[in-house]
């Protein structure tokens, strides 16, 4: 038996190919949306992976440092370092802001890292150019997505930094590239007030007789110095020693330090389940709407194509063609349209759409497989209207009235 | 083939019920022998199409008998389970317009019927090509329907009607869109094919120019048929 669907497609291949192209662009957008979601999840995981930490110690009862603000006293790390099962500890700060370079600024997550050696928690695990930060002040390592180059001078608040190293895939959970600077600078950056505010605060402190006591020399200076410095970080990153269970170490820190501690899996749950949950739902809604629109378009096209063949279908039924053969003709055409659309969509998403999105788009092979199955199922469902119309055709229509 | 043509006795068809019921056929009798071509004529609304649809097993009569070859196919109810197979294997159709499947080439348009009946593609196409030789469209076997002239399309449609060697062919106004010369050519072909394949052919028409070609004509009026001897000119 010949393939009626195949013959019809070959006879009107131009119509099918152009319709498939249009559908393919829609499927390409759908695959890209899935890729954007995967990219967001991957950004979150990359942030955790690249921090090099097994545990995140944050302010008690907060979801910090990524999903909520968290302040931990910057001496806390010393006590944690002494606890059993702890191999390495480091303070870290995170601040998303506009980093200025020349006459442009780039939205970045400025991360303050402690002095140390490669492998210190919070440090970029590898560089693609240059070197790590070796000085205590005014050096920076930037992700290449910032567009900065080695030797560039960056302005972060009032200070200037020189880019000494470049890294890759170091992004925040929101996809903003990271700029690493020394911890002390980062602490200052987070809490630095403008000059007028500092002057007014000093004036108020000087006017306060509790602080300004001439009989106690140095008190006023000490209070002003305290007000001008920042002794807080956002989190303490902990690497667990080999052979120790991360959850047990976390329990110990929670118990003795009265801080909140998250393991890697808990932090992943916070990032993916809470931080990007709304965005994920937004994208999921887009996916559902795009799927419905795709289904409606396929249904409409196949229905229209079928209506254009009513006389042929009546003749086919009159000469004894089975209903399942006619249903097969329509369904095969619908699936063929879906396959053309999927191939076009996959190529479009991979080669045209993904590279031009500003954020990372991760097209997973499994998503493509799921997408293909979804397209085929949608095409089968969409063909039902046309099949119903075709099966309702009275073979008597072929005989003139 | 073949069989013994078709015979119908007291065939009735009623549309609707109660006060709105319409008796389209009021007891039609008709017999067409193998190898014979008869005309069926009547004005609009006389019941021609209804009779054709009953004969073609497309609609169910209300009462009467239909005997196709040796088999009673209708006797106050269908006696054949698979009407689709009956239409496919034992009744040929030729329409007012050729109604070829425009996405199949000429050969597959005709070979489709034996394929639907379960024959192999090669055997089906061989059957089709044999008919093309008889109908003089062999040279157009690979063409698409849109590439054929009106006369060629109608000859291909005749081939489709004949390809399964049915005992009866129902031709619905097959010459309506054709000029006199081509209309007579089609009737000539139908006569040749009827004799060659021992097929009974019923030609529904009100085309005056082909009336003299029939030896017998059934007139239908108000759902009742009357037989009349025709001139039977030109095709013996």
């Amino acid at each position: 038996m010949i393939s009626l669907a195949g013959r019809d497609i070959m006879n009107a291949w131009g119509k099918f190919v152009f319709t498939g192209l249009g559908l393919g662009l829609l499927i390409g957008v759908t695959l890209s949306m899935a890729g954007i979601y995967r990219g967001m999840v991957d950004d979150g995981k990359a942030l955790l992976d690249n921090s090099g930490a097994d545990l995140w110690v944050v302010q008690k009862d907060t979801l910090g440092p990524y999903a909520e603000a968290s302040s931990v006293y910057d001496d806390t790390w010393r006590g944690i370092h002494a606890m059993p099962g702890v191999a390495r500890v480091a303070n870290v700060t995170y601040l998303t802001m506009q980093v200025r370079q020349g006459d442009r600024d780039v939205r970045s997550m400025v991360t303050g890292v402690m002095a140390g050696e490669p492998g210190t928690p919070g440090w970029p695990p590898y560089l693609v150019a240059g070197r790590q930060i070796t000085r205590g002040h005014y050096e920076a390592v930037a992700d290449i997505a910032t567009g900065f180059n080695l030797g560039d001078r960056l302005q972060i608040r009032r200070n200037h930094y020189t880019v000494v190293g470049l890294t890759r895939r170091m992004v925040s959970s929101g996809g903003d590239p990271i700029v690493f600077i020394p911890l002390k600078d980062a602490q200052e950056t987070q809490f630095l007030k403008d000059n007028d505010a500092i002057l007014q605060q000093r004036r108020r402190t000087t006017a306060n007789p509790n602080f300004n006591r001439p009989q106690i020399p140095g008190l006023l200076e000490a209070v002003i110095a305290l007000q001008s410095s920042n002794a807080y970080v956002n989190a303490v990153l902990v690497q667990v020693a080999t052979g120790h269970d991360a959850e047990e170490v976390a329990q110990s820190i929670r118990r003795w330090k009265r801080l909140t501690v998250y393991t890697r899996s808990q932090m992943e749950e916070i990032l993916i389940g809470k931080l990007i949950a709304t965005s994920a739902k937004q994208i999921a809604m887009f996916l559902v709407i795009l799927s419905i629109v795709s289904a409606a378009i396929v249904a409409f096209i196949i229905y229209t194509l079928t209506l254009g063949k009513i006389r042929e279908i009546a003749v086919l039924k009159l000469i004894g063609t089975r209903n399942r053969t006619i249903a097969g003709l329509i369904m095969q055409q619908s699936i063929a349209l879906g396959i053309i659309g999927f191939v076009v969509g996959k190529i479009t998403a991979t080669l045209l759409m993904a590279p031009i999105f500003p954020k990372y788009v991760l097209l997973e092979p499994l998503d493509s497989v799921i997408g293909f199955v979804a397209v085929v199922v949608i095409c089968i469902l969409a063909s039902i209207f046309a099949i119903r119309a075709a099966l309702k055709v009275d073979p008597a229509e072929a005989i003139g009235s | 083939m073949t069989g013994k043509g078709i015979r119908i006795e007291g065939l009735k068809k009623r549309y609707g019920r109660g006060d709105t019921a319409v008796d389209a056929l009021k007891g039609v009798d008709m017999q067409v022998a193998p190898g014979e071509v008869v005309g069926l004529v009547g004005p609009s609304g006389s019941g021609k199409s209804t009779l054709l649809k009953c004969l073609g097993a497309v609609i169910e009569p209300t009462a009467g008998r239909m005997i196709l070859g040796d088999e009673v196919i209708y006797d106050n109810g269908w006696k054949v389970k698979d009407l689709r197979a009956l239409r496919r294997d034992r009744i040929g159709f030729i329409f007012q317009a050729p109604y070829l499947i425009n996405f199949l080439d000429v050969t597959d348009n005709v070979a489709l019927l034996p394929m639907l009946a379960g024959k192999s593609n090669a055997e089906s196409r061989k059957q089709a090509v044999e008919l093309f030789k008889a109908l003089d469209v062999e040279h157009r076997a690979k063409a698409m329907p849109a590439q054929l002239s009106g006369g060629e399309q109608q000859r291909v449609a005749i081939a489709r009607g004949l390809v399964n060697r049915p005992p009866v062919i129902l031709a619905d106004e097959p010459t309506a869109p054709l000029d006199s010369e081509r209309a007579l050519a089609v009737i000539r072909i139908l006569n040749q094919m009827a004799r060659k394949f021992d097929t009974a052919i019923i030609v529904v028409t009100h085309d005056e120019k082909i009336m003299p070609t029939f030896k017998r004509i059934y007139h239908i009026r108000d759902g009742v048929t009357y037989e009349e001897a025709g001139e039977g000119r030109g095709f013996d």
Side-chain angles (χ1 to χ4, degrees):
Chain A
M1 181 67 188
I2 53 176
S3 163
L4 294 175
R7 296 302 175 89
D8 194 17
I9 291 169
M10 291 307 291
N11 186 53
W13 66 268
K15 190 177 2 178
F16 268 85
V17 167
F18 281 111
T19 308
L21 276 173
L23 182 64
L25 293 175
L26 196 61
I27 292 172
V29 172
T30 310
L31 289 174
S32 296
M33 293 303 288
I36 288 168
Y37 169 70
R38 293 291 183 198
M40 287 169 65
V41 172
D42 200 67
D43 281 349
K45 288 182 177 174
L47 176 64
L48 301 184
D49 288 339
N50 294 331
S51 70
D54 299 315
L55 300 174
W56 284 257
V57 181
V58 299
Q59 184 179 343
K60 191 165 175 59
D61 298 330
T62 69
L63 293 172
Y66 310 118
E68 281 182 8
S70 156
S71 285
V72 178
Y73 200 67
D74 66 1
D75 265 349
T76 307
W77 71 275
R78 296 178 196 281
I80 294 170
H81 197 204
M83 296 185 74
V86 174
R88 286 167 130 176
V89 183
N91 285 330
V92 68
T93 63
Y94 298 106
L95 177 65
T96 299
M97 61 183 294
Q98 298 295 124
V99 173
R100 179 160 286 281
Q101 189 264 322
D103 54 357
R104 70 183 179 120
D105 52 32
V106 177
R107 186 156 191 81
S108 311
M109 186 164 83
V110 174
T111 300
V113 292
M114 276 176 82
E117 57 193 25
T120 301
W123 277 43
Y126 62 92
L127 299 178
V128 292
R131 59 168 174 81
Q132 296 279 8
I133 295 167
T134 54
R135 292 170 58 191
H137 293 284
Y138 311 127
E139 284 189 346
V141 170
D143 188 276
I144 56 168
T146 56
F148 300 147
N149 296 308
L150 289 178
D152 279 355
R153 296 274 289 163
L154 312 181
Q155 186 180 345
I156 298 173
R157 295 281 163 89
R158 246 181 261 153
N159 298 324
H160 289 85
Y161 297 79
T162 304
V163 177
V164 297
L166 294 173
T167 185
R168 188 194 296 274
R169 280 295 291 141
M170 299 292 295
V171 291
S172 73
S173 58
D176 299 319
I178 293 179
V179 174
F180 295 89
I181 61 173
L183 183 73
K184 287 291 175 193
D185 291 350
Q187 284 178 292
E188 187 187 338
T189 300
Q190 276 200 350
F191 295 91
L192 188 64
K193 300 171 187 75
D194 63 67
N195 290 341
D196 285 344
I198 292 169
L199 280 172
Q200 286 193 14
Q201 189 178 38
R202 283 181 185 168
R203 195 175 297 135
R204 183 181 292 181
T205 306
T206 307
N208 189 330
N210 290 323
F211 300 133
N212 192 0
R213 297 184 180 180
Q215 67 275 26
I216 308 174
L219 175 62
L220 179 64
E221 288 73 18
V223 171
I224 287 172
L226 269 175
Q227 287 173 338
S228 308
S229 64
N230 165 37
Y232 289 89
V233 293
N234 298 128
V236 178
L237 305 178
V238 176
Q239 280 178 2
V240 174
T242 311
H244 286 79
D245 179 54
E247 182 53 40
E248 282 177 13
V249 177
Q251 280 291 1
S252 173
I253 298 171
R254 283 181 202 122
R255 181 178 177 192
W256 295 108
K257 296 292 174 190
R258 293 177 302 283
L259 292 166
T260 296
V261 185
Y262 294 112
T263 60
R264 163 69 200 237
S265 60
Q266 288 166 337
M267 191 50 86
E268 202 171 303
E269 173 60 27
I270 290 170
L271 276 181
I272 294 160
K274 294 185 168 59
L275 195 60
I276 62 172
T278 309
S279 304
K281 282 178 195 161
Q282 188 101 332
I283 289 172
M285 280 309 299
F286 263 119
L287 283 174
V288 169
I289 291 166
L290 285 171
S291 301
I292 292 169
V293 171
S294 303
I297 288 175
V298 173
F300 178 73
I301 292 166
I302 292 296
Y303 190 75
T304 309
L305 287 174
T306 303
L307 290 187
K309 286 196 287 279
I310 287 295
R311 181 67 79 171
E312 276 96 343
I313 289 168
V315 172
L316 284 170
K317 290 178 93 167
L318 186 68
I319 63 178
T321 307
R322 289 190 180 92
N323 281 344
R324 70 164 182 258
T325 306
I326 292 167
L329 159 72
I330 295 164
M331 193 173 285
Q332 285 166 32
Q333 286 186 340
S334 183
I335 292 171
L337 198 59
I339 290 171
I340 294 170
F342 182 81
V343 170
V344 172
K346 176 69 182 158
I347 293 169
T348 311
T350 308
L351 301 180
L352 297 179
M353 294 181 183
I356 61 170
F357 274 97
K359 285 194 178 179
Y360 183 51
V361 178
L362 178 61
L363 299 168
E364 296 260 31
L366 181 64
D367 286 344
S368 298
V369 173
I370 292 169
F372 180 75
V373 172
V375 165
V376 171
V377 170
I378 284 171
C379 288
I380 289 171
L381 294 176
S383 67
I384 288 172
F385 297 104
I387 289 171
R388 281 188 61 188
L391 296 186
K392 276 186 188 166
V393 173
D394 186 354
E397 284 185 31
I399 298 173
S401 56
Chain B
M1 164 357 313
T2 178
K4 298 175 181 172
I6 185 166
R7 191 168 85 243
I8 58 176
E9 297 166 356
L11 202 71
K12 294 178 181 173
K13 175 63 185 176
R14 170 174 287 185
Y15 290 110
R17 288 181 182 174
D19 294 343
T20 58
V22 176
D23 287 313
L25 300 177
K26 296 174 181 169
V28 172
D29 297 313
M30 197 174 192
Q31 182 166 8
V32 187
E36 188 183 15
V37 179
V38 302
L40 176 64
V41 297
S44 292
S46 60
K48 289 195 307 284
S49 291
T50 300
L51 177 57
L52 203 64
K53 287 170 186 173
C54 289
L55 291 172
V58 176
I59 60 172
E60 185 172 0
T62 312
R65 285 182 97 213
M66 286 201 289
I67 300 129
L68 185 61
D70 292 324
E71 187 185 357
V72 177
I73 60 167
Y74 183 86
D75 189 356
N76 295 315
W78 290 113
K79 301 297 170 189
V80 180
K81 278 185 183 171
D82 189 350
L83 295 178
R84 199 186 305 274
L86 175 75
R87 290 201 300 267
R88 183 187 65 212
D89 301 334
R90 302 181 64 194
I91 302 171
F93 294 93
I94 299 168
F95 310 107
Q96 184 170 347
Y99 295 149
L100 300 176
I101 311 292
N102 64 10
F103 54 82
L104 297 179
D105 68 19
V106 164
T107 304
D108 284 341
N109 254 287
V110 176
L112 181 62
L113 272 91
M115 286 178 194
L116 289 172
K119 289 189 179 170
S120 70
N121 290 6
E123 194 181 352
S124 302
R125 290 192 176 117
K126 190 178 163 195
Q127 257 178 265
V129 171
E130 280 171 12
L131 277 170
F132 293 156
K133 286 177 190 166
L135 292 163
D136 196 25
V137 280
E138 193 185 4
H139 61 293
R140 307 296 273 158
K142 295 290 173 198
M144 297 305 284
Q147 297 169 317
L148 303 182
S149 68
E152 287 172 332
Q153 286 189 17
Q154 197 56 295
R155 275 182 280 167
V156 174
I158 292 170
R160 183 173 62 187
L162 285 163
V163 70
N164 274 346
R165 305 288 189 268
V168 63
I169 285 181
L170 308 174
D172 181 23
E173 307 264 14
T175 60
L178 305 176
D179 58 32
S180 296
E181 193 181 336
R182 286 188 179 137
L184 291 171
V186 166
I187 295 299
R188 184 179 295 115
I189 289 167
L190 288 178
N191 273 279
Q192 287 168 354
M193 295 299 120
R195 285 196 292 272
K196 184 175 169 106
F197 298 112
D198 226 7
T199 303
I201 299 180
I202 299 169
V203 178
V204 175
T205 186
H206 37 45
D207 187 350
E208 291 296 331
K209 56 188 177 281
I210 63 168
M211 291 299 179
T213 66
F214 300 116
K215 285 182 180 169
R216 284 198 304 136
I217 298 172
Y218 283 95
H219 290 271
I220 184 165
R221 186 180 297 273
D222 297 331
V224 180
T225 48
Y226 308 92
E227 187 182 340
E228 179 192 56
E231 297 173 37
R233 257 193 273 146
F235 300 125
D236 286 329

